[in-house]
Amino acid sequence: MLRRIGLKALSVFVLVTVAFSFPVSASVTLVEDGEPAAAVVLPAEPEDFEQTAADELVNHLEIMTGAGLEIVSEGDVPEGLLPVYIGSVADDELEDLTRAEGENPSSFTVRVSEDRVDIRGLSDEGTMFGVYELLEQIGFRWYTLGDMGRVVPEGDTVAVELQTNSQAPDIVYRRLQHVPVRMPWSRRARLGGESRSTGRHGIPGLPRGDFDENPEWYSLTGGERRARQDCLSNPEVLERATEGIRSQAERQGGDVQYVGAASHDGGGFCECEGCKELDQGVYDPFGDRESMTDRYIWFFNQILDELEDEFPNLHIVHYTYSAHMMPPEVEMNERIVPVFAPITMERLRGMDNPMGIDRYPLRWLIDEYADRGVNEMYYRGYFGNLACMGFPWSQLDRVRNDIPALMERGVSVFRVETIWPTWCSNFFNWYVAARLWWDVETDVDALLDEFYELYYGPAEDVMRAFHEDLESAFADTPYFTGSTYLYFPIFKGHPRRDELRGCLDEAADLAEAHEDPVYGERISAMRYNWDRMDIFMDMMQARNRHDFETAHALMEDYNEKTAWGADEPFSYEHEDYEYGRSGRYLIWREHPDNRRSYFNRFFRGSIETGYERAVEKGDIVATMPDEWQFLLDPVEIGRISGYERPGELGGNWQPMKTSTRSWSDQGLHYYKGLAWYRQKVTIPEEFDGRPIYMWFGGVDRTASVWLNGEYMGSNAEPREGLPGIPGSFRPFDLPTVDEDGDSVINFGGENWVVVEIENRTLAELGTGGILAPVMFWSPEDPDWMPGE
């Protein structure tokens, strides 16, 4: 189905509405009254992207006007047709004009004169981008994937302005991770450039497969060698890494080489005396640990010095990430390229947004590395919320403000992780980012105005309100947590949830009344992800009030809507690029298994086990409230001070929510250590004599539990053979009897539950403590135990 829009046009030809306006006399015609007025000229043996460029030009003009321009070789242009020379057959002079703008392979020049059109880049990629520039001038847009995302202008005559238009990108290399650079949307967004390593986990030459033969090459942790990280102080490790990086530099060749090298993802850094001596005692406040940066900078300095004569322009591209994010104290070779991947900082708002105080330090971090005199700096951050399940959200505040600020500070390469992008609802963040990477002076407000008009048509005003309100919900909120925890404080019990849903309903009605069904499809795509979020929010609210029957039914609805192959109105077949399953590319479910894995990891267990205990196997005895008394214990004095005792205690305990607010959302983003929760509950006398268990829906990370002063166990070491899984987000059960089997419950009276949380490991999500509901329950069959 053709997707058309009505753009302003003179009576006989389509105006260039975006980049230029011009009188009729200053243009040439490519298509006139639905008939070809031009022919496309290619080299006899075109490069891949030269052929793609010609095909894209011909196909788009045919979609718009029905006219099929012929692709011919040089010298075979039919008489009377305007030649459009593409790639190396275009005038050689264009290459000099383009180089005047820069040497990036994405650069191009489009020259339209009265007797010919020439489009030529410094590479076939640049030539292709020149064709997209011409198509954009005609009025085409590609906001998201497929026909649904493509805007096609109306008209059967196409004219383009006389011009010499040379362009080069502001960002050297532009990538969205998990979005293939060769797929149509990426090409049309002009992603690409000077390809090079943008970093990696692990060091070339140091595989982890030979641990048994050489354990001394690997990290010493807890008194044992483990294949987690490398022992950087070992001379053999340095020698092997040097050879690995030399080998990669030789394969790259050329005048400049870029080789990625960093730690393996995760912890387990070497604790041997040699490696510890390489550290400079720098404290990392973002991870509450000693920084590992200096040992890696020292290591890479040795390699660059050793290879200086062979490869004087070799660069080691190193993740400025996690445990080695802090600036180094040791002198840093200028050819070490920091790649900023600030996973411990906020990923929602821009650096200057006053609501995003955990984002502001990124400015300081980049300036510190710039002061070390490095040649280049890259950014490998995150568009999306870490481990999110793909619900609608907006990140324009960060995109439009951070990209210019990062470029101003010297960042020249962007490879940003999208974490399995959701094309039906969140695509515009990436579209704006791509435009700014090409031209940092892009007028984002004008881009937004055009988007609302072209993409939503009759629903323009309503969807503008929707997007602006959604943006405000995220940009102006004081909350921040990873995954989907952020949605609880933003939407739970807030009128904006109903208001935004109302916008989608009104927009759907407006689109349905329009003759072109594409507007309805676009609204439906947005509504699809909104419906997923709605189900999830209702499910979590039911879980948090211990209504596990409702929560379980909603979970089945959610799983059905998320399952591969279910309800797929937003898939399409690429005609020009095979991708994924038989060329099919799903607009939001590109990686459905990963979306489900996030849900399974964080939320599924609490609903399934709660349902099993409260509905299938037993009865709820008593429920604990969302809000508990809370006290930090940074000096670990709680047990000495008897915090586990029942009854009211002094010490300035504060209210702390559990299921409905994360630690980050209550001011504890970077806290690592011990913390205590206390709450009282009444257990009905009618359950006296029945087996009773305490059930926790999930904690981060280890919980030790007391009931009326008696230690009941922990999720790491459950008693009585009960199931327990140490770590975050997993449900567990504990008994309510002492070691002699006697109940410690005060039936009909006051019972105190005290929980000590040990959370020493960095959680990039910003969670911690009790994360899910807590209840007492009793199995109907007294012989049945949890986990059976």
Side-chain angles (χ1 to χ4, degrees), residues 739-754:
E739 293 183 354
D740 296 326
D742 297 325
S743 175
V744 300
I745 292 176
N746 178 21
F747 287 97
E750 191 175 82
N751 296 270
W752 282 88
V753 180
V754 181

Side-chain angles (χ1 to χ4, degrees), residues 160-357:
V160 292
E161 181 188 11
L162 301 183
Q163 60 186 280
T164 299
N165 181 356
S166 299
Q167 295 187 24
D170 286 330
I171 289 298
V172 171
Y173 186 48
R174 309 163 305 283
R175 282 291 307 275
L176 290 172
Q177 188 167 320
H178 302 303
V179 179
V181 75
R182 292 180 67 90
M183 67 178 284
W185 184 90
S186 298
R187 299 194 313 252
R188 295 161 183 167
R190 307 187 196 180
L191 300 184
E194 288 185 13
S195 179
R196 81 273 305 278
S197 172
T198 54
R200 54 168 280 179
H201 291 298
I203 300 173
L206 302 181
R208 289 193 278 188
D210 49 9
F211 175 77
D212 292 338
E213 292 78 16
N214 300 99
E216 71 277 6
W217 292 349
Y218 297 90
S219 56
L220 179 70
T221 60
E224 295 183 18
R225 294 285 175 178
R226 307 174 193 272
R228 295 287 304 281
Q229 304 289 352
D230 303 299
C231 181
L232 300 185
S233 62
N234 187 314
E236 293 182 355
V237 171
L238 178 60
E239 181 179 347
R240 293 170 66 234
T242 301
E243 288 306 310
I245 290 177
R246 172 188 278 119
S247 176
Q248 289 211 7
E250 288 175 344
R251 285 199 298 271
Q252 288 185 26
D255 296 330
V256 184
Q257 302 84 30
Y258 296 92
V259 178
S263 71
H264 296 288
D265 204 4
F269 294 94
C270 189
E271 299 167 357
C272 78
E273 290 302 317
C275 286
K276 289 167 65 176
E277 288 178 2
L278 299 177
D279 300 325
Q280 301 296 310
V282 175
Y283 173 68
D284 176 5
F286 303 102
D288 190 22
R289 61 196 166 193
E290 185 175 4
S291 170
M292 299 289 105
T293 303
D294 284 288
R295 63 171 64 182
Y296 280 92
I297 297 304
W298 173 87
F299 190 78
F300 297 139
N301 282 343
Q302 310 309 305
I303 294 174
L304 288 171
D305 288 346
E306 175 67 23
L307 300 178
E308 173 95 33
D309 293 338
E310 293 177 72
F311 303 101
N313 294 314
L314 168 64
H315 291 71
I316 293 180
V317 185
H318 177 239
Y319 282 158
T320 303
Y321 169 80
S322 193
H324 39 80
M325 184 178 75
M326 293 294 289
E329 290 292 306
V330 300
E331 185 175 350
M332 185 175 181
N333 191 300
E334 65 183 8
R335 289 180 287 117
I336 297 175
V337 180
V339 183
F340 300 103
I343 196 169
T344 54
M345 295 181 181
E346 176 187 320
R347 295 165 293 277
L348 180 60
R349 290 164 286 242
M351 293 184 291
D352 290 333
N353 187 319
M355 294 293 102
I357 59 172

Side-chain angles (χ1 to χ4, degrees), residues 372 678-679 767:
R372 268 87 176 152
R678 299 172 55 80
Q679 188 52 270
T767 53

Side-chain angles (χ1 to χ4, degrees), residues 107 141 278 422 581 627 711 743:
S107 307
R141 297 291 182 272
L278 299 177
T422 49
R581 289 172 166 82
E627 191 168 274
Y711 179 66
S743 175

